[in-house]
Amino acid sequence: MKRAEPGTTPAADTAAAAAQGHPTDRQLAFGVASPPRSYWPARIAILAAIGLYLTLPDSLVAGPHWLIPALEAAVLLGVSAFTPHQTAQESRIRRTTVITLAAMVSTANMVSLALLVHLLVAGQAQSGEQLLFAAIGLWCTNVIIFAIWFFELDRGGPAARHLPEHTAPDFLFPQMSVPGCSAENWAPSFLDYLYVSFTNATAFSPTDTMPLSLTAKSLMGLQSIVSLLTVTLVAARAVNILH
């Protein structure tokens, strides 16, 4: 926002900015209404998470190895075939189904991590190379699935972000607090949430994007714990076994 000229009021300055098509102070703080986005990047990410699960050894999977991927693939297929492909065309069924799918993948990933930690503590891990690749797969799944959670959470979800009067943001992106550093009327896409997830899983803390709501802070904290366990305990032990 430009600084108000002498003799003008903040309200007048805001009205002038809105009339010229520039984001107002509130829009910058809350994030401008999002343009239409495709759901396909998120769906492809979930498909990648399913593929990573299939690479895990049987010792890190609770129940039949095919069961969880088959359920996830069936849900993903239904979402892709029978719900909107653009974020401007939201359906309650789509969002409920995707959140259910995210919960399934999250639970399966945490169970696999718990089994891996148990094998390490019990001294039953034999192959350091297998452990290392399993840890990498679990960490990548951690990044993907929390990106889905962030994408579905922020400002009420991808469809709600289209509304001019959407709810308060759960994440503060740099583009929302530094006017002029990005394209006009910038709004986050799934890849932005994937980057937030990647940096949080790598640094074990927020980097350039800050969580604002209690839910966002809780999700980022949980992701950091999962990532920390994977990197420090599992990956380090696997490397030791390799030596």
Side-chain angles (χ1 to χ4, degrees):
M1 287 286 298
K2 294 172 60 180
R3 184 182 299 275
E5 296 294 333
T8 65
T9 65
D13 189 58
T14 298
Q20 295 173 9
H22 299 302
T24 64
D25 287 333
R26 185 183 186 281
Q27 287 175 323
L28 287 170
F30 270 54
V32 300
S34 175
R37 305 285 192 186
S38 173
Y39 283 123
W40 280 108
R43 292 171 183 173
I44 292 172
I46 292 178
L47 188 61
I50 295 173
L52 288 169
Y53 188 86
L54 289 171
T55 66
L56 295 176
D58 290 338
S59 58
L60 301 183
V61 175
H65 206 150
W66 56 268
L67 180 60
I68 296 298
L71 290 174
E72 293 168 350
V75 173
L76 181 60
L77 181 62
V79 169
S80 301
F82 301 111
T83 62
H85 301 310
Q86 292 286 330
T87 54
Q89 302 169 313
E90 175 68 297
S91 73
R92 184 175 299 179
I93 294 177
R94 186 214 68 83
R95 191 154 192 256
T96 301
T97 304
V98 169
I99 290 175
T100 301
L101 180 57
M104 289 172 57
V105 178
S106 298
T107 301
N109 196 55
M110 291 182 187
V111 168
S112 295
L113 178 60
L115 290 172
L116 185 50
V117 172
H118 172 72
L119 289 177
L120 289 170
V121 173
Q124 299 176 13
Q126 301 296 324
S127 172
E129 183 177 356
Q130 187 181 56
L131 279 179
L132 184 57
F133 281 109
I136 292 173
L138 292 175
W139 187 88
C140 290
T141 303
N142 184 41
V143 170
I144 292 170
I145 198 57
F146 277 94
I148 299 292
W149 282 118
F150 299 160
F151 178 71
E152 292 292 336
L153 166 70
D154 192 25
R155 288 188 269 166
R161 290 193 289 272
H162 288 283
L163 303 176
E165 295 300 322
H166 49 253
T167 58
D170 295 274
F171 297 95
L172 180 65
F173 289 87
Q175 293 89 339
M176 294 162 57
S177 56
V178 186
C181 71
S182 64
E184 190 173 348
N185 295 332
W186 177 91
S189 66
F190 174 75
L191 293 181
D192 292 292
Y193 295 102
L194 184 63
Y195 176 76
V196 171
S197 181
F198 175 80
T199 55
N200 188 58
T202 303
F204 313 128
S205 65
T207 53
D208 65 333
T209 300
M210 295 294 107
L212 300 179
S213 68
L214 181 60
T215 304
K217 293 175 182 179
S218 299
L219 282 174
M220 293 189 81
L222 178 60
Q223 183 189 24
S224 296
I225 292 172
V226 174
S227 181
L228 187 63
L229 277 174
T230 307
V231 172
T232 61
L233 177 62
V234 178
R237 179 66 182 273
V239 170
N240 288 336
I241 294 175
L242 285 173
H243 288 290

